[in-house]
Amino acid sequence: MFYGDLAEKAVVPIPDVEPEAFHILIKYLYCEESLGLTLENAMDTLYCAKKYAVRRLLKQCRHFLQENLTPEEAFTIHAKAVIWDEPKTAELAMCTLSSQTGKFFSSPSFMELPEKLLKKFLDSDELSVSENEIYQAVRKWVVKHTENNPDYGNEFKRVFSRLIYGIRLPVMKPTEIANGPAEDGILTPAELIDLYTYKFAENKPAIPFPAEERTARPEPIYVSMDLIAHFGEESEELKGGTEFDEYIFGRIRLEVRCDVAPLASKCFIFLCTDDRKFTLRYGDVEFDRRGADDDPMPEDCPKTFPLENRLLANLPGMVSFVICEEDAAPRVCELQICHDDKTANKETYGMVFAKVVSGMETLKAVDSFRDPVWNRECGHPFTESMPAVFFYFGNVSVEAESEYEQEEEL
């Protein structure tokens, strides 16, 4: 394109690449830094990197989307990922959208969707809101896109009639139908009669509306815990929670992606709420759970937790189960928070299912605290006069997303 026997001498048109994405590509080729990535341009940059086989930039774009994806931008990213053959990004975006549909409805991104994409969105079987909420959201979209038309009333009905067949009206309550599509005049009298007949009669007529209820993926759950260093001998009192010669680093909070990895997330929540003993690893520091039940995991609990899929890459701050050896005993689970230094991580990590959303500075404080006093090779303090150091986590709490958001507002 630019050099050699086939070099083009005039202006080279690249019609399928956005200028901003191409600019990021050029900067990366010179500096090897993905400067300027945002949720608005990440997919365009990903396509550009894929087109010109710049694999490192392509990987960075995928990682950027994983770390920054929001419900507000999820459907636009999903649509582009499908077109550009990025199945993992597409599924991750759909998981986010399915578990947090309400946030998407309240965002400007929803109101700016083209009609074609809105129709595609209504085909989804996994949305976490009621069908009446979907109807009301679509109604607001139609109002916004028709309110400036001189013939607003007729234009409203014309546009809405093209979308109404993607809404699962048989799932709505009779009062919702009466106060919604019936009052808005979207349905013909015959369609309205058939709809009510379908809901109440034994012999149901054929109707042009989907009748299957949508399902919703579970929302993320948040788990918080304190990280503690104890100096001196390990004792039963310490395991029970006695504070003696200890230093509390701070508190970390994990976002557990129940929407992406429901089985692994369920196993982890069980460990937390049932006071089970498990180990949390960050680099080569292992935290044992303070005051936990020493009983091993039940025999019917899998030793290697379900992999399910590989939607989440193991980036710094991501949390995964460590895969145990087949003959490992006792049955104590081990989790790993991915360290910035890849050599400090165990390679036998399993399903990535969560990420640290606050407290990374606390984890880094563990490194800065331990490095001056700890012999990493031998696993003990440099001098015999220094007390042994044991690392624990405790005060584990589990909260739903709504509780987490309320706490953040406070």
Side-chain angles (χ1 to χ4, degrees):
M1 179 186 291
F2 298 114
Y3 60 90
D5 294 337
L6 300 178
E8 300 182 46
K9 305 301 182 182
V11 174
V12 181
I14 311 176
D16 60 337
V17 172
E18 292 294 325
E20 185 179 10
F22 193 74
H23 185 61
I24 293 173
L25 172 70
I26 295 298
K27 286 195 296 184
Y28 183 82
L29 292 175
Y30 278 96
C31 307
E32 288 198 3
E33 293 183 8
S34 50
L35 302 173
L37 278 181
T38 66
L39 280 175
E40 289 72 26
N41 64 33
M43 280 304 300
D44 294 326
T45 305
L46 181 149
Y47 170 73
C48 190
K50 200 170 190 177
K51 177 182 176 72
Y52 294 107
V54 185
R55 295 179 181 177
R56 289 185 179 179
L57 179 59
L58 174 62
K59 188 176 182 179
Q60 287 190 29
C61 289
R62 289 169 177 162
H63 290 172
F64 177 87
L65 288 167
Q66 174 181 311
E67 292 179 315
N68 297 279
L69 185 62
T70 64
E72 292 78 7
E73 301 293 338
F75 190 72
T76 303
I77 290 171
H78 167 78
K80 290 183 177 181
V82 170
I83 295 171
W84 295 331
D85 192 27
E86 286 288 315
K88 286 188 176 181
T89 300
E91 188 174 350
L92 182 59
M94 207 61 211
C95 288
T96 302
L97 183 63
S98 171
S99 64
Q100 303 175 68
T101 313
K103 291 183 178 180
F104 177 53
F105 280 165
S106 61
S107 71
S109 300
F110 173 74
M111 301 304 290
E112 294 168 3
L113 277 182
E115 184 177 330
K116 183 178 179 180
L117 284 184
L118 180 55
K119 285 183 178 179
K120 185 176 181 181
F121 168 76
L122 293 175
D123 290 336
S124 175
D125 292 324
E126 295 183 327
L127 298 176
S128 59
V129 293
S130 69
E131 208 63 31
N132 186 52
E133 289 175 290
I134 294 173
Y135 178 87
Q136 296 301 331
V138 174
R139 188 182 189 283
K140 289 180 181 179
W141 183 95
V142 174
V143 169
K144 181 181 184 299
H145 288 262
T146 60
E147 60 186 354
N148 294 326
N149 192 292
D151 189 17
Y152 166 69
N154 290 327
E155 183 66 11
F156 172 85
K157 292 181 180 179
R158 276 195 296 269
V159 174
F160 212 156
S161 64
R162 297 197 296 264
L163 300 168
I164 193 67
Y165 300 104
I167 301 175
R168 306 184 182 190
L169 299 183
V171 177
M172 295 171 63
K173 297 176 182 178
T175 53
E176 294 171 343
I177 296 173
N179 295 324
E183 185 175 310
D184 288 331
I186 306 302
L187 304 179
T188 65
E191 287 175 330
L192 199 55
I193 292 172
D194 285 346
L195 180 59
Y196 276 110
T197 304
Y198 182 90
K199 287 187 72 67
F200 296 110
E202 291 185 4
N203 298 321
K204 301 184 182 300
I207 56 174
F209 310 102
E212 300 81 13
E213 289 194 39
R214 304 180 203 258
T215 57
R217 289 176 178 260
E219 292 185 354
I221 290 177
Y222 294 84
V223 175
S224 302
M225 59 188 71
D226 292 330
L227 302 184
I228 306 161
H230 176 84
F231 304 91
E233 295 298 323
E234 186 177 29
S235 65
E236 292 300 320
E237 289 77 11
L238 175 64
K239 292 179 181 179
T242 302
E243 296 182 6
F244 179 74
D245 289 342
E246 66 182 24
Y247 176 77
I248 299 178
F249 293 105
R251 195 161 179 81
I252 63 171
R253 176 176 273 130
L254 312 180
E255 180 185 58
V256 183
R257 294 299 303 269
C258 304
D259 53 340
V260 176
L263 296 179
S265 299
K266 183 178 180 181
C267 290
F268 177 61
I269 297 302
F270 167 77
L271 291 174
C272 294
T273 56
D274 201 53
D275 288 333
R276 291 284 175 175
K277 183 177 182 179
F278 64 94
T279 300
L280 185 65
R281 168 184 287 271
Y282 179 67
D284 57 4
V285 179
E286 290 187 1
F287 294 88
D288 290 322
R289 186 172 187 177
R290 164 180 280 181
D293 187 353
D294 281 335
D295 292 339
M297 290 293 291
E299 286 300 323
D300 59 352
C301 205
K303 184 172 291 188
T304 56
F305 286 88
L307 293 180
E308 302 177 69
N309 53 50
R310 287 288 190 183
L311 290 185
L312 298 174
N314 197 33
L315 307 178
M318 300 301 293
V319 186
S320 62
F321 281 107
V322 173
I323 299 176
C324 303
E325 299 295 334
E326 283 301 318
D327 58 350
R331 301 288 305 283
V332 177
C333 291
E334 183 177 346
L335 279 74
Q336 174 173 262
I337 299 176
C338 186
H339 198 282
D340 291 330
D341 180 4
K342 293 183 179 180
T343 62
N345 297 316
K346 278 194 172 182
E347 295 182 359
T348 56
Y349 71 90
M351 184 66 197
V352 180
F353 67 95
K355 67 176 180 179
V356 178
V357 291
S358 67
M360 280 304 298
E361 67 283 353
T362 300
L363 287 167
K364 291 176 181 178
V366 174
D367 272 349
S368 61
F369 167 86
R370 181 176 178 176
D371 285 347
V373 300
W374 198 264
N375 186 326
R376 288 177 177 268
E377 294 182 359
C378 302
H380 59 73
F382 281 124
T383 67
E384 294 182 1
S385 61
M386 296 176 65
V389 183
F390 299 92
F391 294 91
Y392 292 87
F393 66 90
N395 193 18
V396 178
S397 64
V398 179
E399 55 194 9
E401 183 180 34
S402 57
E403 297 171 318
Y404 168 69
E405 289 177 342
Q406 290 174 3
E407 186 176 334
E408 287 291 294
E409 290 176 1
L410 294 175

